[in-house]
Amino acid sequence: MKGDVVATSVFCLILLAGGTFLYFAISRTIETVNFIQNSELTTGYISGFEVAYNTNTSDSSSDTRYTQVLFVDNRGANVYIRSSSSSSFTTDRIGDEVEVRYIIGRSNEARIASFFLDMWGLTLLFGLFGIVFTAPGIVFVWNALYDVITNLTSK
């Protein structure tokens, strides 16, 4: 009996965590769609790479690189942004063209539209964790309801 209470509590916490992740995924999806609808699309150019060194190994191939992009906003100002996603390797070269989205007046909050993870990465991460945590909770609730219904109908 005590084990049932513990299991129920654990699955409720897992379901709560999954629901929270799904909430953030939906919230982030709405925010990204609004950003896309209200932003301007322009061309930017890769200006360099910011390297984040991995201090745990001496292997330089495990270092990650963030792409730095230069674009000109609607006021004619040069704006430098950094990608929010990184990689240990890149096929991009300095000078390559990329699409950039920004909201007029908030150029520093621009996103690199050509990079899928810059636009949708956080949404996918929250959604993945939401599904992983919610699925066992839903199965548990389904089984609990099935047991209750079975017990009620067998009496």
Side-chain angles (χ1 to χ4, degrees), residues 19-69:
T20 302
F21 281 122
L22 288 177
Y23 168 79
F24 283 125
I26 292 167
S27 170
R28 182 70 182 180
T29 299
I30 292 168
E31 188 270 330
T32 301
V33 168
N34 285 337
F35 177 81
I36 290 170
Q37 289 174 344
N38 297 317
S39 64
E40 297 289 321
L41 186 63
T42 188
T43 301
Y45 298 92
I46 295 177
S47 62
F49 301 96
E50 180 181 319
V51 179
Y53 297 101
N54 186 351
T55 58
N56 295 332
T57 74
S58 61
D59 183 16
S60 64
S61 66
S62 65
D63 298 336
T64 58
R65 292 165 183 77
Y66 294 90
T67 305
Q68 296 174 327
V69 172

Side-chain angles (χ1 to χ4, degrees), residues 12-154:
C12 285
L13 287 174
I14 290 172
L15 191 57
L16 179 65
T20 302
F21 281 122
L22 288 177
Y23 168 79
F24 283 125
I26 292 167
S27 170
R28 182 70 182 180
T29 299
I30 292 168
E31 188 270 330
T32 301
V33 168
N34 285 337
F35 177 81
I36 290 170
Q37 289 174 344
N38 297 317
S39 64
E40 297 289 321
L41 186 63
T42 188
T43 301
Y45 298 92
I46 295 177
S47 62
F49 301 96
E50 180 181 319
V51 179
Y53 297 101
N54 186 351
T55 58
N56 295 332
T57 74
S58 61
D59 183 16
S60 64
S61 66
S62 65
D63 298 336
T64 58
R65 292 165 183 77
Y66 294 90
T67 305
Q68 296 174 327
V69 172
L70 165 69
F71 72 98
V72 179
D73 68 6
N74 64 313
R75 296 174 295 150
N78 288 334
V79 180
Y80 289 91
I81 60 170
R82 185 189 87 162
S83 65
S84 61
S85 58
S86 66
S87 176
S88 59
F89 69 92
T90 181
T91 58
D92 298 319
R93 304 274 185 251
I94 293 176
D96 285 353
E97 283 187 10
V98 294
E99 290 183 338
V100 175
R101 287 197 167 277
Y102 73 98
I103 295 177
I104 294 175
R106 298 190 324 211
S107 302
N108 290 335
E109 298 174 17
R111 296 185 197 171
I112 304 169
S114 300
F115 295 179
F116 181 78
L117 291 178
D118 270 17
M119 295 297 291
W120 296 103
L122 200 54
T123 302
L124 290 174
L125 187 65
F126 284 142
L128 178 67
F129 279 121
I131 290 168
V132 166
F133 280 93
T134 304
I138 290 173
V139 169
F140 175 76
V141 169
W142 176 264
N143 287 335
L145 287 174
Y146 180 79
D147 289 344
V148 167
I149 292 170
T150 304
N151 288 336
L152 289 175
T153 57
S154 66

